[in-house]
Amino acid sequence: MRSVWADAWRELVATARRTVADGLVVGTSGNVSVRVGDTVLVTPSGIAYDRLGPDELCAVDLEGRRTAGDLVPTSELPMHLAVYRSTGAAAIVHTHAVHATAVSTLVDELPAIHYMTAALGGPVRVAPYAPYGSEELAAHVLEALRDRTGCLLRNHGTVVYADSLGRAYDGTAQLEWMCRVWLAAASVPGRTPSLLPPEELDRVAERLRGYGQRG
């Protein structure tokens, strides 16, 4: 099991560093986790991602009890654990992406500005504001994620989960891009962005199920 943890931890660290390199977080903001069986590997609190190595592995069980490592887990652990306990998530990426955070202050739901809205389950909801790291925020996130795999957090950032770290990261990057597109279109004076209707999103969702390589 430890070798499985080591492989998962290396991928987690690489993903966390990528969030910084791609401008989705600043400093130690945001966090990343991955589930391995009944264990959750998660970024520790207040440690720069470029300082993370094998010795900094941070693991907890689904109740938050530490199972490996000496570092304190991210303050957003309640949110991560709530998502794992309530969904089929295998990985979660949480960021403070600029455009997504800006959108979270303007609307209750990101309008369906692009067909990739369907990849996250439909128009992306905004979870009401609550203090970071709180059980209240975790509850708001679960409600916003109902039938979705991503949401915005009011005045805070994004949460996306998937069946792998790669897909969770891709969904996060896609969500930030859609927020940027909507902000750009909505800022044009005298014009209102065209949006995709629910039936078109349903059609795209069906097409996405067969997208990519098989075999």
Side-chain angles (χ1 to χ4, degrees):
M1 176 59 74
R2 292 287 173 158
S3 64
V4 175
W5 285 8
D7 291 342
W9 181 252
R10 279 193 293 271
E11 186 180 7
L12 181 150
V13 170
T15 301
R17 290 175 178 169
R18 190 178 176 190
T19 64
V20 176
D22 290 352
L24 298 176
V25 303
V26 175
T28 61
S29 66
N31 26 78
V32 178
S33 68
V34 62
R35 180 173 179 173
V36 181
D38 290 331
T39 297
V40 174
L41 308 183
V42 63
T43 48
S45 178
I47 304 293
Y49 297 146
D50 61 3
R51 291 175 51 197
L52 295 180
D55 293 338
E56 285 71 42
L57 183 146
C58 186
V60 299
D61 64 18
L62 291 173
E63 300 305 317
R65 295 181 291 256
R66 200 176 309 175
T67 57
D70 299 320
L71 297 175
V72 176
T74 173
S75 58
E76 295 290 10
L77 184 62
M79 179 175 68
H80 286 255
L81 295 181
V83 175
Y84 285 122
R85 290 194 296 257
S86 302
T87 72
I92 299 169
V93 174
H94 165 51
T95 79
H96 294 176
V98 172
H99 299 92
T101 303
V103 169
S104 79
T105 70
L106 299 172
V107 295
D108 294 327
E109 181 179 271
L110 173 64
I113 193 72
H114 191 270
Y115 65 77
M116 284 303 288
T117 298
L120 294 172
V124 178
R125 305 182 186 101
V126 179
Y129 179 81
Y132 75 89
S134 65
E135 295 290 347
E136 182 184 8
L137 178 59
H140 289 332
V141 166
L142 286 185
E143 178 60 26
L145 286 175
R146 182 172 38 85
D147 302 321
R148 303 286 189 271
T149 56
C151 71
L152 302 179
L153 283 60
R154 178 86 68 201
N155 297 89
H156 188 156
T158 69
V159 172
V160 175
Y161 76 83
D163 58 2
S164 71
L165 273 170
R167 290 190 178 92
Y169 183 86
D170 289 347
T172 299
Q174 190 73 56
L175 177 54
E176 168 68 354
W177 179 82
M178 287 191 295
C179 287
R180 185 176 183 181
V181 169
W182 182 77
L183 284 171
S187 68
V188 177
R191 302 301 297 265
T192 300
S194 63
L195 303 176
L196 298 176
E199 56 269 23
E200 179 58 23
L201 294 181
D202 290 343
R203 186 166 69 162
V204 171
E206 185 62 34
R207 290 175 66 88
L208 287 174
R209 292 188 186 98
Y211 180 77
Q213 304 299 316
R214 296 291 181 269

